[in-house]
Amino acid sequence: NQRYATNSLGASLVRRFAELASCPVQEFAVKADSACGTTIGPITAGGTGIRTVDVGPPQLSMHSCREMMATSDVAHTVKTLRSALGHFAQVYQSTDTGDLSPVDHFWTEPGNGWGKKTA
């Protein structure tokens, strides 16, 4: 199913970030033979080469006139994403991923990614 971008590595990283934030994880998978919508994940990953994960708070009746979610789900999502930002390099480097691509080094080498000062 090429409608989502999450792979086993991405899913394991998200689980670890949620664990570090003491947040529950609810997993969902679409059967390979089931028609479903898509996300921008595969387009983003294909166009940039950046590892991509489809993640978000759980919703009941998505895209209906009565979308619902618990306020605690929003809080858990924020805590998990903060955990990812704060622990990415440490968690990623401790994960056996085989050879790292140059894109991965952008995230895992402190000073070579976001916040790097240029002249």
Side-chain angles (χ1 to χ4, degrees), residues 66-91:
R66 293 185 177 89
E67 286 186 17
M68 294 188 298
M69 66 182 4
T71 54
S72 60
D73 290 331
V74 176
H76 288 142
T77 301
V78 170
K79 284 178 65 177
T80 299
L81 295 176
R82 282 186 180 156
S83 175
L85 289 173
H87 299 285
F88 187 89
Q90 170 196 354
V91 170

PDB file of all heavy atoms in Angstrom, residues 66-91:
ATOM      1  N   ARG A  66     -19.258  15.235  12.191  1.00  0.00           N
ATOM      2  CA  ARG A  66     -19.113  15.060  13.644  1.00  0.00           C
ATOM      3  C   ARG A  66     -17.752  14.468  14.006  1.00  0.00           C
ATOM      4  O   ARG A  66     -17.660  13.484  14.718  1.00  0.00           O
ATOM      5  CB  ARG A  66     -20.230  14.160  14.172  1.00  0.00           C
ATOM      6  CG  ARG A  66     -21.588  14.809  14.062  1.00  0.00           C
ATOM      7  CD  ARG A  66     -22.654  13.939  14.704  1.00  0.00           C
ATOM      8  NE  ARG A  66     -23.933  14.589  14.653  1.00  0.00           N
ATOM      9  CZ  ARG A  66     -24.801  14.480  13.662  1.00  0.00           C
ATOM     10  NH1 ARG A  66     -24.512  13.736  12.617  1.00  0.00           N
ATOM     11  NH2 ARG A  66     -25.963  15.107  13.712  1.00  0.00           N
ATOM     12  N   GLU A  67     -16.675  15.103  13.515  1.00  0.00           N
ATOM     13  CA  GLU A  67     -15.341  14.639  13.893  1.00  0.00           C
ATOM     14  C   GLU A  67     -15.170  14.827  15.393  1.00  0.00           C
ATOM     15  O   GLU A  67     -15.571  15.845  15.951  1.00  0.00           O
ATOM     16  CB  GLU A  67     -14.266  15.454  13.172  1.00  0.00           C
ATOM     17  CG  GLU A  67     -14.128  15.111  11.723  1.00  0.00           C
ATOM     18  CD  GLU A  67     -12.962  15.825  11.064  1.00  0.00           C
ATOM     19  OE1 GLU A  67     -12.073  16.329  11.787  1.00  0.00           O
ATOM     20  OE2 GLU A  67     -12.943  15.885   9.837  1.00  0.00           O
ATOM     21  N   MET A  68     -14.599  13.839  16.032  1.00  0.00           N
ATOM     22  CA  MET A  68     -14.398  13.932  17.482  1.00  0.00           C
ATOM     23  C   MET A  68     -13.048  13.359  17.871  1.00  0.00           C
ATOM     24  O   MET A  68     -12.549  12.430  17.237  1.00  0.00           O
ATOM     25  CB  MET A  68     -15.487  13.135  18.221  1.00  0.00           C
ATOM     26  CG  MET A  68     -16.874  13.696  18.060  1.00  0.00           C
ATOM     27  SD  MET A  68     -18.067  12.870  19.116  1.00  0.00           S
ATOM     28  CE  MET A  68     -18.018  11.197  18.510  1.00  0.00           C
ATOM     29  N   MET A  69     -12.489  13.939  18.917  1.00  0.00           N
ATOM     30  CA  MET A  69     -11.279  13.397  19.524  1.00  0.00           C
ATOM     31  C   MET A  69     -11.251  13.868  20.964  1.00  0.00           C
ATOM     32  O   MET A  69     -11.878  14.856  21.326  1.00  0.00           O
ATOM     33  CB  MET A  69     -10.028  13.835  18.782  1.00  0.00           C
ATOM     34  CG  MET A  69      -9.768  15.305  18.855  1.00  0.00           C
ATOM     35  SD  MET A  69      -8.337  15.940  17.954  1.00  0.00           S
ATOM     36  CE  MET A  69      -7.674  14.594  17.121  1.00  0.00           C
ATOM     37  N   ALA A  70     -10.542  13.151  21.782  1.00  0.00           N
ATOM     38  CA  ALA A  70     -10.429  13.522  23.189  1.00  0.00           C
ATOM     39  C   ALA A  70      -9.378  14.624  23.347  1.00  0.00           C
ATOM     40  O   ALA A  70      -8.374  14.638  22.623  1.00  0.00           O
ATOM     41  CB  ALA A  70     -10.031  12.311  24.024  1.00  0.00           C
ATOM     42  N   THR A  71      -9.611  15.535  24.270  1.00  0.00           N
ATOM     43  CA  THR A  71      -8.617  16.578  24.516  1.00  0.00           C
ATOM     44  C   THR A  71      -7.307  15.972  24.997  1.00  0.00           C
ATOM     45  O   THR A  71      -6.234  16.497  24.709  1.00  0.00           O
ATOM     46  CB  THR A  71      -9.130  17.607  25.544  1.00  0.00           C
ATOM     47  OG1 THR A  71      -9.541  16.908  26.729  1.00  0.00           O
ATOM     48  CG2 THR A  71     -10.297  18.398  24.992  1.00  0.00           C
ATOM     49  N   SER A  72      -7.372  14.848  25.697  1.00  0.00           N
ATOM     50  CA  SER A  72      -6.141  14.192  26.149  1.00  0.00           C
ATOM     51  C   SER A  72      -5.320  13.674  24.962  1.00  0.00           C
ATOM     52  O   SER A  72      -4.086  13.617  25.038  1.00  0.00           O
ATOM     53  CB  SER A  72      -6.453  13.050  27.118  1.00  0.00           C
ATOM     54  OG  SER A  72      -7.260  12.076  26.499  1.00  0.00           O
ATOM     55  N   ASP A  73      -5.996  13.318  23.845  1.00  0.00           N
ATOM     56  CA  ASP A  73      -5.266  12.863  22.659  1.00  0.00           C
ATOM     57  C   ASP A  73      -4.427  13.992  22.071  1.00  0.00           C
ATOM     58  O   ASP A  73      -3.315  13.769  21.591  1.00  0.00           O
ATOM     59  CB  ASP A  73      -6.230  12.316  21.608  1.00  0.00           C
ATOM     60  CG  ASP A  73      -6.850  11.003  22.024  1.00  0.00           C
ATOM     61  OD1 ASP A  73      -6.198  10.247  22.773  1.00  0.00           O
ATOM     62  OD2 ASP A  73      -7.993  10.728  21.603  1.00  0.00           O
ATOM     63  N   VAL A  74      -4.961  15.205  22.089  1.00  0.00           N
ATOM     64  CA  VAL A  74      -4.205  16.359  21.593  1.00  0.00           C
ATOM     65  C   VAL A  74      -2.978  16.583  22.480  1.00  0.00           C
ATOM     66  O   VAL A  74      -1.859  16.769  21.985  1.00  0.00           O
ATOM     67  CB  VAL A  74      -5.085  17.632  21.545  1.00  0.00           C
ATOM     68  CG1 VAL A  74      -4.260  18.843  21.119  1.00  0.00           C
ATOM     69  CG2 VAL A  74      -6.269  17.432  20.615  1.00  0.00           C
ATOM     70  N   ALA A  75      -3.173  16.528  23.789  1.00  0.00           N
ATOM     71  CA  ALA A  75      -2.058  16.712  24.722  1.00  0.00           C
ATOM     72  C   ALA A  75      -0.995  15.629  24.532  1.00  0.00           C
ATOM     73  O   ALA A  75       0.213  15.922  24.542  1.00  0.00           O
ATOM     74  CB  ALA A  75      -2.568  16.711  26.160  1.00  0.00           C
ATOM     75  N   HIS A  76      -1.417  14.378  24.349  1.00  0.00           N
ATOM     76  CA  HIS A  76      -0.460  13.284  24.126  1.00  0.00           C
ATOM     77  C   HIS A  76       0.307  13.479  22.821  1.00  0.00           C
ATOM     78  O   HIS A  76       1.511  13.181  22.748  1.00  0.00           O
ATOM     79  CB  HIS A  76      -1.176  11.930  24.107  1.00  0.00           C
ATOM     80  CG  HIS A  76      -1.637  11.498  25.459  1.00  0.00           C
ATOM     81  ND1 HIS A  76      -2.835  10.854  25.649  1.00  0.00           N
ATOM     82  CD2 HIS A  76      -1.079  11.613  26.677  1.00  0.00           C
ATOM     83  CE1 HIS A  76      -2.989  10.593  26.929  1.00  0.00           C
ATOM     84  NE2 HIS A  76      -1.932  11.047  27.584  1.00  0.00           N
ATOM     85  N   THR A  77      -0.369  13.965  21.791  1.00  0.00           N
ATOM     86  CA  THR A  77       0.305  14.209  20.515  1.00  0.00           C
ATOM     87  C   THR A  77       1.374  15.278  20.681  1.00  0.00           C
ATOM     88  O   THR A  77       2.507  15.121  20.212  1.00  0.00           O
ATOM     89  CB  THR A  77      -0.710  14.628  19.434  1.00  0.00           C
ATOM     90  OG1 THR A  77      -1.671  13.589  19.276  1.00  0.00           O
ATOM     91  CG2 THR A  77      -0.023  14.890  18.103  1.00  0.00           C
ATOM     92  N   VAL A  78       1.040  16.370  21.347  1.00  0.00           N
ATOM     93  CA  VAL A  78       2.003  17.452  21.570  1.00  0.00           C
ATOM     94  C   VAL A  78       3.202  16.941  22.377  1.00  0.00           C
ATOM     95  O   VAL A  78       4.360  17.206  22.021  1.00  0.00           O
ATOM     96  CB  VAL A  78       1.330  18.655  22.267  1.00  0.00           C
ATOM     97  CG1 VAL A  78       2.365  19.679  22.725  1.00  0.00           C
ATOM     98  CG2 VAL A  78       0.308  19.298  21.346  1.00  0.00           C
ATOM     99  N   LYS A  79       2.954  16.184  23.439  1.00  0.00           N
ATOM    100  CA  LYS A  79       4.042  15.651  24.257  1.00  0.00           C
ATOM    101  C   LYS A  79       4.938  14.713  23.453  1.00  0.00           C
ATOM    102  O   LYS A  79       6.166  14.737  23.581  1.00  0.00           O
ATOM    103  CB  LYS A  79       3.481  14.922  25.480  1.00  0.00           C
ATOM    104  CG  LYS A  79       2.978  15.828  26.572  1.00  0.00           C
ATOM    105  CD  LYS A  79       2.381  15.055  27.733  1.00  0.00           C
ATOM    106  CE  LYS A  79       3.423  14.225  28.440  1.00  0.00           C
ATOM    107  NZ  LYS A  79       2.894  13.510  29.618  1.00  0.00           N
ATOM    108  N   THR A  80       4.337  13.874  22.607  1.00  0.00           N
ATOM    109  CA  THR A  80       5.120  12.939  21.794  1.00  0.00           C
ATOM    110  C   THR A  80       5.967  13.689  20.773  1.00  0.00           C
ATOM    111  O   THR A  80       7.141  13.360  20.577  1.00  0.00           O
ATOM    112  CB  THR A  80       4.191  11.926  21.096  1.00  0.00           C
ATOM    113  OG1 THR A  80       3.483  11.184  22.099  1.00  0.00           O
ATOM    114  CG2 THR A  80       4.969  10.966  20.215  1.00  0.00           C
ATOM    115  N   LEU A  81       5.403  14.706  20.133  1.00  0.00           N
ATOM    116  CA  LEU A  81       6.171  15.476  19.148  1.00  0.00           C
ATOM    117  C   LEU A  81       7.293  16.267  19.816  1.00  0.00           C
ATOM    118  O   LEU A  81       8.393  16.370  19.266  1.00  0.00           O
ATOM    119  CB  LEU A  81       5.240  16.397  18.355  1.00  0.00           C
ATOM    120  CG  LEU A  81       4.221  15.669  17.473  1.00  0.00           C
ATOM    121  CD1 LEU A  81       3.285  16.666  16.794  1.00  0.00           C
ATOM    122  CD2 LEU A  81       4.901  14.780  16.447  1.00  0.00           C
ATOM    123  N   ARG A  82       7.043  16.792  20.998  1.00  0.00           N
ATOM    124  CA  ARG A  82       8.118  17.469  21.746  1.00  0.00           C
ATOM    125  C   ARG A  82       9.229  16.479  22.100  1.00  0.00           C
ATOM    126  O   ARG A  82      10.409  16.808  22.049  1.00  0.00           O
ATOM    127  CB  ARG A  82       7.567  18.107  23.015  1.00  0.00           C
ATOM    128  CG  ARG A  82       6.854  19.400  22.771  1.00  0.00           C
ATOM    129  CD  ARG A  82       6.455  20.055  24.071  1.00  0.00           C
ATOM    130  NE  ARG A  82       5.780  21.306  23.796  1.00  0.00           N
ATOM    131  CZ  ARG A  82       4.933  21.891  24.614  1.00  0.00           C
ATOM    132  NH1 ARG A  82       4.651  21.333  25.787  1.00  0.00           N
ATOM    133  NH2 ARG A  82       4.361  23.027  24.285  1.00  0.00           N
ATOM    134  N   SER A  83       8.839  15.272  22.454  1.00  0.00           N
ATOM    135  CA  SER A  83       9.808  14.229  22.759  1.00  0.00           C
ATOM    136  C   SER A  83      10.660  13.922  21.533  1.00  0.00           C
ATOM    137  O   SER A  83      11.878  13.751  21.630  1.00  0.00           O
ATOM    138  CB  SER A  83       9.091  12.971  23.245  1.00  0.00           C
ATOM    139  OG  SER A  83       9.997  11.916  23.446  1.00  0.00           O
ATOM    140  N   ALA A  84      10.019  13.867  20.363  1.00  0.00           N
ATOM    141  CA  ALA A  84      10.753  13.603  19.118  1.00  0.00           C
ATOM    142  C   ALA A  84      11.770  14.707  18.852  1.00  0.00           C
ATOM    143  O   ALA A  84      12.918  14.429  18.498  1.00  0.00           O
ATOM    144  CB  ALA A  84       9.780  13.475  17.951  1.00  0.00           C
ATOM    145  N   LEU A  85      11.363  15.948  19.035  1.00  0.00           N
ATOM    146  CA  LEU A  85      12.286  17.058  18.802  1.00  0.00           C
ATOM    147  C   LEU A  85      13.436  17.051  19.807  1.00  0.00           C
ATOM    148  O   LEU A  85      14.574  17.362  19.456  1.00  0.00           O
ATOM    149  CB  LEU A  85      11.538  18.390  18.883  1.00  0.00           C
ATOM    150  CG  LEU A  85      10.580  18.672  17.724  1.00  0.00           C
ATOM    151  CD1 LEU A  85       9.763  19.928  18.006  1.00  0.00           C
ATOM    152  CD2 LEU A  85      11.340  18.810  16.419  1.00  0.00           C
ATOM    153  N   GLY A  86      13.155  16.684  21.036  1.00  0.00           N
ATOM    154  CA  GLY A  86      14.172  16.712  22.067  1.00  0.00           C
ATOM    155  C   GLY A  86      15.097  15.510  22.115  1.00  0.00           C
ATOM    156  O   GLY A  86      16.216  15.607  22.619  1.00  0.00           O
ATOM    157  N   HIS A  87      14.632  14.372  21.589  1.00  0.00           N
ATOM    158  CA  HIS A  87      15.404  13.132  21.736  1.00  0.00           C
ATOM    159  C   HIS A  87      15.782  12.479  20.406  1.00  0.00           C
ATOM    160  O   HIS A  87      16.307  11.375  20.407  1.00  0.00           O
ATOM    161  CB  HIS A  87      14.604  12.105  22.547  1.00  0.00           C
ATOM    162  CG  HIS A  87      14.262  12.550  23.930  1.00  0.00           C
ATOM    163  ND1 HIS A  87      15.184  12.580  24.943  1.00  0.00           N
ATOM    164  CD2 HIS A  87      13.097  12.994  24.454  1.00  0.00           C
ATOM    165  CE1 HIS A  87      14.607  13.021  26.041  1.00  0.00           C
ATOM    166  NE2 HIS A  87      13.339  13.283  25.776  1.00  0.00           N
ATOM    167  N   PHE A  88      15.515  13.133  19.274  1.00  0.00           N
ATOM    168  CA  PHE A  88      15.688  12.458  17.990  1.00  0.00           C
ATOM    169  C   PHE A  88      17.098  11.920  17.800  1.00  0.00           C
ATOM    170  O   PHE A  88      17.283  10.738  17.491  1.00  0.00           O
ATOM    171  CB  PHE A  88      15.306  13.346  16.804  1.00  0.00           C
ATOM    172  CG  PHE A  88      15.324  12.602  15.514  1.00  0.00           C
ATOM    173  CD1 PHE A  88      14.204  11.943  15.066  1.00  0.00           C
ATOM    174  CD2 PHE A  88      16.484  12.501  14.764  1.00  0.00           C
ATOM    175  CE1 PHE A  88      14.221  11.220  13.882  1.00  0.00           C
ATOM    176  CE2 PHE A  88      16.518  11.782  13.577  1.00  0.00           C
ATOM    177  CZ  PHE A  88      15.379  11.145  13.142  1.00  0.00           C
ATOM    178  N   ALA A  89      18.101  12.770  17.948  1.00  0.00           N
ATOM    179  CA  ALA A  89      19.473  12.321  17.670  1.00  0.00           C
ATOM    180  C   ALA A  89      19.865  11.146  18.554  1.00  0.00           C
ATOM    181  O   ALA A  89      20.418  10.154  18.079  1.00  0.00           O
ATOM    182  CB  ALA A  89      20.452  13.477  17.860  1.00  0.00           C
ATOM    183  N   GLN A  90      19.559  11.239  19.839  1.00  0.00           N
ATOM    184  CA  GLN A  90      19.904  10.170  20.791  1.00  0.00           C
ATOM    185  C   GLN A  90      19.206   8.862  20.429  1.00  0.00           C
ATOM    186  O   GLN A  90      19.839   7.804  20.376  1.00  0.00           O
ATOM    187  CB  GLN A  90      19.501  10.609  22.197  1.00  0.00           C
ATOM    188  CG  GLN A  90      19.576   9.523  23.240  1.00  0.00           C
ATOM    189  CD  GLN A  90      18.804   9.898  24.511  1.00  0.00           C
ATOM    190  OE1 GLN A  90      18.304  10.998  24.651  1.00  0.00           O
ATOM    191  NE2 GLN A  90      18.707   8.958  25.412  1.00  0.00           N
ATOM    192  N   VAL A  91      17.912   8.910  20.166  1.00  0.00           N
ATOM    193  CA  VAL A  91      17.148   7.696  19.864  1.00  0.00           C
ATOM    194  C   VAL A  91      17.567   7.127  18.514  1.00  0.00           C
ATOM    195  O   VAL A  91      17.781   5.925  18.373  1.00  0.00           O
ATOM    196  CB  VAL A  91      15.627   7.984  19.896  1.00  0.00           C
ATOM    197  CG1 VAL A  91      14.835   6.799  19.352  1.00  0.00           C
ATOM    198  CG2 VAL A  91      15.185   8.328  21.310  1.00  0.00           C
TER     199      VAL A  91
END
